[in-house]
Amino acid sequence: MELSGAEIITRCLQEEKIKFVFGYPGGAVLDIYDAIFKQDYFKHILVRHEQAAVHAADAYSRSTGLVGVALVTSGPGATNAITGIATAYMDSIPMVVISGQVSTPGIGMDAFQEVDMVGITRPCVKHNFLVKDVNELASTIKKAFYIAASGRPGPVVIDIPKDITQFKAKFSYPKTVAMRSYNPVLKGHSGQIKKAIKLLLEAKRPMIYTGGGVVLGDASALLVKLVKKLGYPVTNTLMGLGGYPATDEQFLGMLGMHGTLEANMAMQQSDVILAVGARFDDRVVGNPAHFLNQPRTIIHIDVDPSSISKRVKVDVPIVGDVKNVLTDMLALLDESDKTPSESALKAWWQLINGWRKEKCLEFDRSSDIIKPQDVIEKLWQVTKGEAFVTSDVGQHQMWAAQYYKFDKPRRWINSGGLGTMGVGLPYAMGVQLAHPEAQVACITGEGSIQMNIQELSTCNQFHLPIKVILLNNRYLGMVRQWQQFFYENRYSESYMDSLPDFVKLAESYGHVGMKIENPADIEGALKEAFALKDRFVFMNFITDQKENVFPMVPNGKGLSELILAERITVEDL
Amino acid sequence: MKHLISLLMENEAGALSRVAGLFSARGYNIESLTVAPTEDPTLSRMTIVTSGSEEVIEQIIKQLNKLVDVVKVLDLNDGRFIERELMLVKVKATGVFRDEMQRMCEIFRGRIIDVADNSYIIELTGSGSKLDAFLDAIDKTAILETVRTGASGIGRGERILKL
Ligand SMILES: Cc1ncc(C[n+]2csc(CCOP(=O)(O)OP(=O)(O)O)c2C)c(N)n1
């Protein structure tokens, strides 16, 4: 039997076991929407802006490991999706975005709502396709899902002209894909792995540094085994949080620009680093020249060869899926009769515990203005560390990363690579739909939340009981902090004026609104909000306007050159 | 250092722009780029002439390999190879130039492939540096127009870039 292109699309999504499609209709995708109307396998989530559709699909993927799917129309629908696609690309999130396109005869004619989607997305997708023949539609969709999820994952765009969705073809969904041009390396080189184990066992000041690759590669359990077996310190990047349990004593906290003193100092002073699914980016190692001042040996496991030796030269590269490589490493360790030097390790931990004693994340607990750190800490307590936490971008994001202790992977959902303000609320939607029973908190700022505030409507329509934790400092806080430090307090355009009454705004969308101004009320309010299990609650915390994020490694500086608090540097210790 | 990179990729619409886009997005040098289908019409072969430190070249190779349409990449500079480029030069062929251009053409083993009242077209193949040398050797004022294909490269002997 022949199906229309549109029907083929919905059938393919069914074959891929897709439960949710996040989207927004328009002329070029009317046939696809008609086919959606006639099926009941997956649920379509109608957002209020295409950017939010892509973010929600992205977060659905981040929190489940499955491929997220978004659907947008041509032209403005497609361009509205770009920020979402670029955000997912930077964090290697597997996603398939289907965009409508004008009918094939119209392509290149400046037709109504025509935009060169394949051209515009090329730099921010893992791959993209323009489907020009309905007979190739199903196989293209199969390829798209395969490419998105395999190797180093990433978003794939399929641009589908309207006439292709109307033409008919015989439907058969390929069972497998073979592409001569695309064969990711998954198994690590055994010689390199042997070398790595030898170096690790001989290390005097070892450091295990892990990133988003451990979370994306579902390798947390293996990482824990390895770290426990070796007894070495471990740090996570912003994207890697939850990859190793934050409440474990071997965890030194996050490293990097706003990382802890102990993580950054240990990283800098280590003699052997095992990097797992992390990429030594500028927010992590600061100035690479300063980082390389210290002689050390670096072992780097990554599924993407181009991530290895990109910013920092690596001594032992291991290309492969982190899960496979860690499994092989553990097997070798089991066989080995060597063990790490106890005395060296003891001395190393002593040094580390000295840095720990500085308690770099301590904050003023006696203030009568709400401290943002206090809110996050209490949120962690009230949710028993079990919540899924999405975040926007800014100071609140860093506080969330520092003070919410993630013990499980896929619980911390934020835009690390692109740093996209506005992701928080749509991220929470994707997460809540994937985990209807879970507690989902969206930590945000008054700047960020207003970038996708229209989604309050979507949350109402789909009864999503998200809790928004707004740390309202009336500033674009992260911008203000940089202006304070590096632009002599010239707060150029960083004050957020004319804010709405967030309580009334939430209520007008059918939600519960709360305003919290007194530190003594934080815990009670959080408990009250989370007790409203089936309600969306918007919590407007009025916080200290001038609070800064510490520690901080200023841009272009080295990891050990961090500022601990107002005007205290490591040299002052 | 200058490198010649050879690659095989799917002969599909847009594949070329993925390679070109990669070079511009990551700020890699591109001196020349040539591409044409191979004896297997589903595959195109490209030669890219680029330059950079060893680290940059290593990244270029890795990034090219990462493109989904790219099947195989070879850094020709890793071994012995042959580089050839074709150049067409239209030169003045009046007065003293008429004989001189013919002589220079012979020295460089070129061919005159078009003769007009006032000009010749000279065809020359060789490495990029040989073509440069020819342009340096002749009187600048005699050059009316030049067009070059960009380099094509192939490994010597056993070095074969094939599926
Ligand atoms: C879309 C977008 N535009 C601009 C920026 C630059 N930026 C980074 S943080 C920040 C301020 C965020 O303010 P807010 O959401 O209020 O959070 P706060 O820092 O106050 O916690 C800005 C403007 C960005 N990251 N994303």
Side-chain angles (χ1 to χ4, degrees):
Chain A
M1 199 189 78
E2 295 214 314
L3 298 181
S4 72
E7 288 161 337
I8 290 175
I9 294 168
T10 57
R11 285 289 298 277
C12 289
L13 294 178
Q14 183 175 339
E15 295 285 334
E16 289 291 338
K17 305 196 167 51
I18 298 306
K19 292 284 177 321
F20 293 101
V21 171
F22 301 87
Y24 208 91
V29 287
L30 278 173
D31 290 87
I32 303 177
Y33 272 88
D34 197 47
I36 288 177
F37 189 85
K38 292 177 193 154
Q39 62 85 46
D40 55 9
Y41 183 79
F42 61 80
K43 194 171 160 102
H44 180 272
I45 304 297
L46 177 67
V47 294
R48 301 299 183 264
H49 186 295
E50 288 88 350
Q51 183 189 347
V54 183
H55 288 327
D58 164 343
Y60 181 86
S61 171
R62 288 182 200 240
S63 70
T64 60
L66 305 170
V67 179
V69 178
L71 169 61
V72 298
T73 191
S74 69
T79 54
N80 273 350
I82 302 295
T83 303
I85 296 169
T87 303
Y89 180 65
M90 287 295 276
D91 291 341
S92 309
I93 305 304
M95 199 163 69
V96 169
V97 177
I98 298 173
S99 54
Q101 182 55 277
V102 300
S103 286
T104 40
I107 293 180
M109 309 301 283
D110 297 322
F112 177 63
Q113 295 195 327
E114 180 186 0
V115 69
D116 173 13
M117 185 61 166
V118 165
I120 239 174
T121 56
R122 192 179 302 118
C124 61
V125 290
K126 183 167 175 188
H127 198 58
N128 57 20
F129 297 95
L130 169 65
V131 182
K132 284 183 165 161
D133 178 352
V134 68
N135 294 299
E136 283 170 12
L137 184 53
S139 62
T140 304
I141 294 175
K142 178 77 190 177
K143 271 188 203 163
F145 275 94
Y146 168 63
I147 292 170
S150 54
R152 179 179 183 173
V156 177
V157 165
I158 316 174
D159 200 31
I160 309 179
K162 184 169 183 174
D163 52 353
I164 301 296
T165 68
Q166 294 166 334
F167 294 151
K168 290 196 158 72
K170 244 182 86 109
F171 174 68
S172 88
Y173 199 61
K175 290 264 172 308
T176 54
V177 201
M179 293 172 73
R180 61 180 176 186
S181 65
Y182 176 74
N183 295 294
V185 176
L186 300 177
K187 194 92 183 108
H189 188 279
S190 62
Q192 294 288 86
I193 294 176
K194 269 201 196 109
K195 225 195 262 175
I197 290 292
K198 183 165 180 293
L199 285 164
L200 270 176
L201 288 174
E202 286 166 359
K204 301 230 157 21
R205 296 183 310 281
M207 183 69 174
I208 298 177
Y209 145 65
T210 82
V214 168
V215 177
L216 291 170
D218 292 317
S220 295
L222 291 166
L223 175 68
V224 173
K225 263 196 196 162
L226 183 79
V227 173
K228 285 284 147 197
K229 209 172 179 80
L230 291 168
Y232 292 174
V234 58
T235 180
N236 289 164
T237 65
L238 177 71
M239 293 311 297
L241 292 175
Y244 190 86
T247 51
D248 185 85
E249 58 183 355
Q250 276 165 260
F251 186 63
L252 305 193
M254 178 172 77
L255 85 166
M257 183 173 269
H258 293 296
T260 62
L261 175 70
E262 50 271 33
N264 283 340
M265 294 300 281
M267 188 76 176
Q268 184 69 24
Q269 298 200 9
S270 60
D271 67 343
V272 175
I273 290 178
L274 172 67
V276 191
R279 58 189 176 94
F280 294 92
D281 75 89
D282 51 318
R283 289 298 192 260
V284 163
V285 292
N287 180 347
H290 181 279
F291 183 65
L292 293 172
N293 276 343
Q294 182 86 14
R296 63 170 97 62
T297 308
I298 301 179
I299 305 158
H300 190 172
I301 306 170
D302 207 293
V303 73
D304 175 7
S306 76
S307 279
I308 298 177
S309 291
K310 185 162 67 182
R311 291 190 80 244
V312 167
K313 185 99 186 112
V314 166
D315 304 284
V316 184
I318 306 174
V319 176
D321 181 72
V322 286
K323 216 169 169 176
N324 290 338
V325 177
L326 290 182
T327 305
D328 292 352
M329 286 180 94
L330 280 163
L332 269 185
L333 267 183
D334 278 337
E335 286 167 21
S336 167
D337 38 18
K338 261 200 175 165
T339 47
S341 150
E342 260 178 56
S343 58
L345 197 55
K346 203 172 153 207
W348 180 223
W349 272 113
Q350 256 166 16
L351 203 57
I352 291 171
N353 287 331
W355 295 316
R356 260 183 177 161
K357 277 206 195 85
E358 297 299 327
K359 290 193 181 305
C360 67
L361 293 180
E362 216 21 77
F363 59 91
D364 175 10
R365 289 167 192 278
S366 59
S367 159
D368 45 9
I369 312 170
I370 293 182
K371 290 285 178 185
Q373 301 95 325
D374 198 11
V375 179
I376 310 286
E377 212 173 69
K378 298 228 159 74
L379 174 70
W380 177 68
Q381 288 159 0
V382 168
T383 56
K384 303 193 170 62
E386 290 284 327
F388 285 83
V389 176
T390 76
S391 165
D392 266 302
V393 171
Q395 290 182 311
H396 60 272
Q397 175 190 24
M398 293 302 124
W399 287 317
Q402 291 173 329
Y403 294 89
Y404 199 101
K405 300 190 191 73
F406 294 95
D407 280 339
K408 290 182 188 156
R410 299 195 180 279
R411 297 280 163 128
W412 164 239
I413 316 285
N414 83 130
S415 164
L418 199 66
T420 308
M421 286 171 69
V423 295
L425 185 54
Y427 271 1
M429 301 185 332
V431 174
Q432 188 79 76
L433 282 160
H435 310 272
E437 302 303 324
Q439 300 175 333
V440 180
C442 162
I443 297 173
T444 184
E446 75 292 343
S448 294
I449 192 72
Q450 291 189 87
M451 285 211 177
N452 269 317
I453 192 88
Q454 75 287 344
E455 297 307 317
L456 287 174
S457 173
T458 313
C459 293
N460 185 12
Q461 179 178 350
F462 295 96
H463 309 293
L464 304 178
I466 295 159
K467 312 293 182 262
V468 170
I469 315 290
L470 168 60
L471 301 178
N472 186 346
N473 55 6
R474 283 84 70 215
Y475 273 109
L476 299 174
M478 191 55 97
V479 172
R480 190 205 53 74
Q481 176 168 347
W482 283 53
Q483 289 170 334
Q484 179 188 339
F485 288 8
F486 312 118
Y487 296 88
E488 296 163 333
N489 300 313
R490 288 186 299 277
Y491 295 155
S492 177
E493 306 298 323
S494 54
Y495 186 68
M496 268 277 115
D497 206 342
S498 305
L499 291 172
D501 178 335
F502 285 109
V503 170
K504 278 194 193 149
L505 182 73
E507 284 169 359
S508 79
Y509 278 107
H511 303 312
V512 178
M514 288 179 167
K515 184 175 182 179
I516 305 95
E517 293 179 272
N518 188 335
D521 297 337
I522 300 173
E523 193 176 343
L526 283 168
K527 281 185 173 155
E528 191 186 330
F530 279 93
L532 297 171
K533 287 205 185 322
D534 54 354
R535 295 303 301 275
F536 183 109
V537 184
F538 195 114
M539 309 184 76
N540 181 13
F541 289 92
I542 307 301
T543 60
D544 190 344
Q545 281 202 279
K546 299 277 175 76
E547 189 65 28
N548 287 321
V549 182
F550 292 113
M552 178 176 191
V553 180
N555 215 11
K557 292 279 186 179
L559 282 182
S560 57
E561 299 176 304
L562 77 179
I563 309 172
L564 280 177
E566 308 300 330
R567 282 182 294 280
I568 301 179
T569 63
V570 174
E571 283 79 56
D572 301 325
L573 284 179
Chain B
M1 198 185 109
K2 184 175 128 176
H3 276 248
L4 264 78
I5 296 171
S6 272
L7 61 93
L8 288 174
M9 60 185 193
E10 297 292 348
N11 185 10
E12 271 172 23
L16 170 63
S17 59
R18 287 182 211 280
V19 174
L22 170 70
F23 274 74
S24 68
R26 295 195 182 261
Y28 302 142
N29 290 321
I30 202 164
E31 244 169 66
S32 74
L33 182 160
T34 64
V35 60
T38 62
E39 75 284 1
D40 170 356
T42 67
L43 280 177
S44 290
R45 173 147 174 170
M46 185 181 272
T47 308
I48 302 167
V49 181
T50 182
S51 59
S53 64
E54 284 311 303
E55 289 79 44
V56 169
I57 300 294
E58 186 185 325
Q59 262 299 310
I60 291 176
I61 305 273
K62 286 175 172 176
Q63 293 291 346
L64 285 168
N65 266 313
K66 201 165 136 180
L67 293 176
V68 170
D69 284 337
V70 170
V71 187
K72 264 192 177 172
V73 184
L74 180 68
D75 182 355
L76 288 173
N77 291 65
D78 280 349
R80 300 191 311 135
F81 67 97
I82 292 191
E83 173 198 346
R84 283 292 178 274
E85 182 176 358
L86 170 71
M87 175 168 71
L88 302 176
V89 200
K90 193 181 285 177
V91 293
K92 280 187 197 157
T94 49
V96 287
F97 288 142
R98 208 153 176 96
D99 283 348
E100 190 188 330
M101 287 303 151
Q102 216 172 329
R103 218 173 46 244
M104 292 306 283
C105 182
E106 265 164 39
I107 294 172
F108 280 84
R109 294 172 201 273
R111 290 198 303 152
I112 295 177
I113 54 172
D114 184 63
V115 178
D117 286 349
N118 298 317
S119 66
Y120 295 144
I121 295 174
I122 298 173
E123 177 195 302
L124 205 64
T125 51
S127 66
S129 50
K130 174 184 161 182
L131 305 189
D132 292 341
F134 176 77
L135 292 176
D136 281 343
I138 61 174
D139 192 325
K140 291 276 160 311
T141 62
I143 302 173
L144 296 170
E145 197 179 338
T146 63
V147 53
R148 299 170 67 152
T149 57
S152 288
I154 190 163
R156 282 182 186 265
E158 304 295 295
R159 296 184 81 208
I160 290 166
L161 179 62
K162 222 178 154 137
L163 277 196

